[in-house]
Amino acid sequence: MPAFDLPLTELERHRPDVGEPADFDAFWLRTLKEAAQAEPLVSVRPVETGLRLTRTWDVTFRGFAGDPVRAWFSRPAGFDEPLPAVVEFAGYGRGRGLPHERLTWVNAGYAHLLMDNRGQGDAYGCGGDTPDPHATAPGGPGPAVRGLLAPEDYHYRRLITDAVRAVTAVRELPGVDPARTVAVGNSQGGGLALAVAGLVPDLAALLVTAPLLCGIRRALDLTDAGPYGEIASYLAVHRGAEDDAYRTLSYVEGVSFARRAQAPAHFGVGLRDTVCPPSGAYAAFNRYAELTGTDPRKEIHAYPFNGHEGGDAVQVRRQLAWVRAVLGGPE
């Protein structure tokens, strides 16, 4: 697929108005206040993985509406001092899988929490373990359209709340330096990480690649791939529901979260990405922290000949070097 979005020179100046609802802040303040009524941790249980250089725990924490959410928490073996914590969010349709699948951050010397995606896990990978008991509102079968017609019912309201609560939970786990907590994600995970950066004011750093939920209205006009295609297919059947859907989507728009963020941020994007069009990532990057009165360190890396995979391992190598420079890694 050749480049199909704006030229790079225009992407670098792309600062769209995304139609932010007047009660955006009140909506999320109310949502997170309700979730915070429950203590975050439910259980922390050590598991045997067959890995001798990594210690892992099966963690359950309380997310949206106090629902139990599963996660894997891992640390490098032999380190007892508090470590910086990386909270990672998985891609669309994927669950937390098995604990030995994601070892990059642990091998780099960080504590690592991988959050399960409620109501997902059946599309690829090794499955998930967290149901979504609230997925009963009108909408299609895919997560992107569950409860699409009302922001209070929308799947991503619940998933974003879970992501914020994951940060609260990891900060209470033993051997974690709560002041050095990082949010990481690619695709849907990138959209969740960006939302966390906008909702958790003391996050230490953000690492996001090919984020979903950024520049949503434009993405729906550009692509029928991936989650945006599910939304388009739903609206093709439910003619006349566009206004309700667009209103709901405005409450999970990544550009609005980016405007409220203040942590140092590292972005990556493939310019041939038809799943999460690059104009969304650039919109979030270009408007990042504009409401906070801060000027955090930030950078973006574009890969002109790559699609949704972006920079892949090259991008991860850049992330490892960047986050160590920003907050200092374990010695």
Side-chain angles (χ1 to χ4, degrees), residues 233-268:
S233 295
Y234 178 83
L235 294 176
V237 174
H238 298 273
R239 301 165 181 87
E242 293 93 334
D243 287 346
D244 288 337
Y246 288 149
R247 176 175 177 267
T248 295
L249 292 166
S250 70
Y251 287 91
V252 299
E253 169 60 60
V255 176
S256 295
F257 290 120
R259 297 179 69 214
R260 291 158 171 78
Q262 52 189 321
H266 188 281
F267 281 67

Side-chain angles (χ1 to χ4, degrees), residues 48-205:
E48 175 55 52
T49 64
L51 303 175
R52 293 293 167 255
L53 303 181
T54 300
R55 299 172 63 198
T56 299
W57 293 261
D58 188 346
V59 170
T60 302
F61 67 91
R62 296 198 182 279
F64 176 86
D67 298 335
V69 179
R70 305 288 289 277
W72 296 123
F73 176 64
S74 299
R75 286 173 48 90
F79 287 80
D80 296 324
E81 69 273 20
L83 298 176
V86 171
V87 182
E88 185 174 3
F89 306 105
Y92 189 72
R94 186 173 189 131
R96 65 173 182 167
L98 299 174
H100 60 269
E101 289 186 74
R102 302 197 182 202
L103 298 175
T104 296
W105 292 102
V106 179
N107 281 332
Y110 297 87
H112 178 248
L113 185 84
L114 176 63
M115 185 187 86
D116 204 13
N117 288 323
R118 67 163 62 217
Q120 299 188 31
D122 298 322
Y124 64 103
C126 291
D129 300 295
T130 303
D132 185 2
H134 307 280
T136 57
V145 288
R146 291 176 191 160
L148 180 63
L149 301 185
E152 295 80 7
D153 298 331
Y154 195 34
H155 176 77
Y156 281 110
R157 180 192 183 210
R158 301 188 290 277
L159 201 57
I160 289 170
T161 303
D162 292 347
V164 171
R165 294 288 287 170
V167 172
T168 302
V170 81
R171 287 173 163 172
E172 296 202 3
L173 290 171
V176 167
D177 179 355
R180 294 190 292 170
T181 307
V182 182
V184 176
N186 175 75
S187 192
Q188 175 185 262
L192 296 177
L194 188 58
V196 166
L199 294 170
V200 179
D202 60 346
L203 193 71

